[in-house]
Amino acid sequence: QRGTGGQDLKELAQRGDWDRCLQVAKKAGQESVDQYVILHVSALLRQAQPEQAVEVLLAHGTPLGGGSNVALYKQIAKELLGRGRSAAAQDGQWLPAVNALREVLFKLVVAIKASGETGDLKEVERLRDVAHYLGMHAMCKAKGGAMAEMENNLALSLIRYCDVLPADRVFYEAGQACKKAGKLNQAFVFTNRFLDICDAMEEADGSSMIENTDFEATDVPFNFNLPERCFVEEGEREEVRDWVLTLSMDQKVEPVLQLRACYKCSTQIFEATLTCPSCKTPFKQCVVTGLPVPRGRGELPAEEVFVNFHAGGIAFKDYCEFTLKN
C-alpha cells in the first residue's frame, strides 16, 4: 500500500517509523490512518507500552472497525489501569496517562453509542469510570484539607474496581483514607485485606489464601489478579502490620464495614455498595465520589463529568449526589 509521494506505508510500519507512517497515511485518506493507528497501538501493546498506545489513540482517534477494535482498546485500558506502581511515585509519573485514557474512553463510549453496536458498552463505560474516579481521587488527595472527605469517599468507591486496578493499592489507600477520617473499624478491615494480598503475592498460588468473609454481600470483586509488585515497600508494610496488630487489641475497635440502610428495603448494607444484596435494587453512583445516591440532586451530561471536571476550576462539592445522565 502506497501513500502520497510513493512512500511505502507497509515498509514504514515494519521499520517502526510510525510518525512518518501516520503522516503519509493522512494523505492517503482516513481509512489508511485508521488501519495504521490500529497496527501502531497493537505493536505498542505487545511492547508493554500502554501509556504510549493511549497517546496515539488520543491524537488519532479510536476507529471502531465495525466493533472489532474495541477488544484492543479494552486490553490497553486494563494494562494501563492495572499497572503496579510504588506509593512513592509522583502523580506526574502516572496520572497524565490515566487522564488521557479517560478522554479516549469517553470518546469511545460516544462512538459506540452512535454506532448502535453496544455489546461492549457496559464494560467500556466501567473502564471509563475507573479512570475518572482514579483521577478524581488523585486530585482530592493532592488538595487535602476540605477535600479529605471526598478523598475518603473516592477511596471507598475504588475498591469496587479491585479487579481492574492493583488490588493491594486500592485496599491500602482505602484503609489509609478511613484511618485519616477516624473510621477505625473500616480502616482495620481494608488494611488487613491489604496485608492478606501482600502475603498472598509471596506464595505460588496465593489467591486461595485470601479470606473474603468481610466482603460478602457487597459488590467488591473476589476474583482479581495479584499484582506483580507491592504498592508499599517492605519496611512500610511492617509498620502497617504493627498498626493493625495494635488496633486488634483495642477493645473499642471492631473489624466491620460501615453500614447504611438500603434506600428501598431498609436492610443494613455496606455504605459503598451499588446494589442491595437483599432486594437487588441498583443505585446510581455520584459523579463526584462514586458512592450510591438515593435520590439524585440532578443529572449531568457525560461531557460535563468526564471532560469539564478534570479541566480544573470546578467546585466538586457543588456536584455531590448528582448522577450521570444516560
Side-chain angles (χ1 to χ4, degrees), residues 165-182:
L165 297 167
D168 65 326
R169 183 175 95 205
V170 295
F171 285 106
Y172 174 80
E173 292 194 321
Q176 292 298 299
C178 287
K179 179 182 175 183
K180 193 188 302 184

Side-chain angles (χ1 to χ4, degrees), residues 34-262:
D34 292 351
Q35 177 185 350
Y36 284 94
V37 162
I38 294 303
L39 288 173
H40 189 188
V41 297
S42 297
L44 289 168
L45 186 60
R46 287 194 299 273
Q47 295 160 12
Q49 298 182 63
E51 295 88 352
Q52 288 83 347
V54 168
E55 290 299 328
V56 172
L57 294 174
L58 187 61
H60 298 284
T62 51
L64 293 181
S68 61
N69 296 331
V70 177
L72 173 64
Y73 304 146
K74 290 191 298 184
Q75 187 60 32
I76 290 169
K78 290 173 184 177
E79 289 287 336
L80 193 153
L81 293 168
R83 177 158 288 186
R85 61 177 170 84
S86 163
Q90 299 296 309
D91 286 356
Q93 294 175 267
W94 63 272
L95 189 55
V98 170
N99 285 332
L101 176 64
R102 184 202 71 251
E103 192 172 339
V104 166
L105 293 174
F106 162 66
K107 292 176 180 177
L108 180 58
V109 167
V110 172
I112 290 173
K113 287 181 176 179
S115 74
E117 299 288 337
T118 57
D120 292 296
L121 182 61
K122 290 297 182 188
E123 188 176 1
V124 176
E125 285 180 330
R126 186 169 188 260
L127 291 168
R128 175 204 61 190
D129 291 350
V130 177
H132 166 63
Y133 290 123
L134 191 58
M136 292 288 290
H137 179 258
M139 234 187 305
C140 292
K141 188 176 180 181
K143 289 182 179 180
M147 293 290 196
E149 185 179 354
M150 275 187 243
E151 177 199 339
N152 174 264
N153 291 339
L154 282 156
L156 288 182
S157 296
L158 287 173
I159 66 170
R160 191 184 304 133
Y161 305 113
C162 66
D163 56 337
V164 176
L165 297 167
D168 65 326
R169 183 175 95 205
V170 295
F171 285 106
Y172 174 80
E173 292 194 321
Q176 292 298 299
C178 287
K179 179 182 175 183
K180 193 188 302 184
K183 298 179 178 180
L184 295 183
N185 292 348
Q186 197 151 261
F188 185 102
V189 174
F190 293 146
T191 308
N192 204 45
R193 190 163 182 81
F194 158 73
L195 292 171
D196 285 347
I197 292 169
C198 291
D199 290 342
M201 289 165 65
E202 297 176 359
E203 302 295 327
D205 184 25
S207 57
S208 60
M209 298 170 47
I210 300 174
E211 176 58 56
N212 294 313
T213 306
D214 290 332
F215 295 93
E216 288 177 356
T218 75
D219 54 6
V220 177
F222 294 167
N223 296 320
F224 51 82
N225 294 323
L226 293 174
E228 293 182 1
R229 57 177 292 188
C230 286
F231 182 59
V232 297
E233 298 299 329
E234 186 174 352
E236 189 175 350
R237 289 203 302 277
E238 290 311 308
E239 291 178 14
V240 171
R241 203 178 296 276
D242 290 342
W243 180 79
V244 167
L245 184 59
T246 301
L247 206 62
S248 69
M249 294 184 285
D250 188 334
Q251 298 293 320
K252 292 178 290 187
V253 174
E254 187 179 0
V256 292
L257 296 175
Q258 189 154 320
L259 305 178
R260 62 171 174 83
C262 168

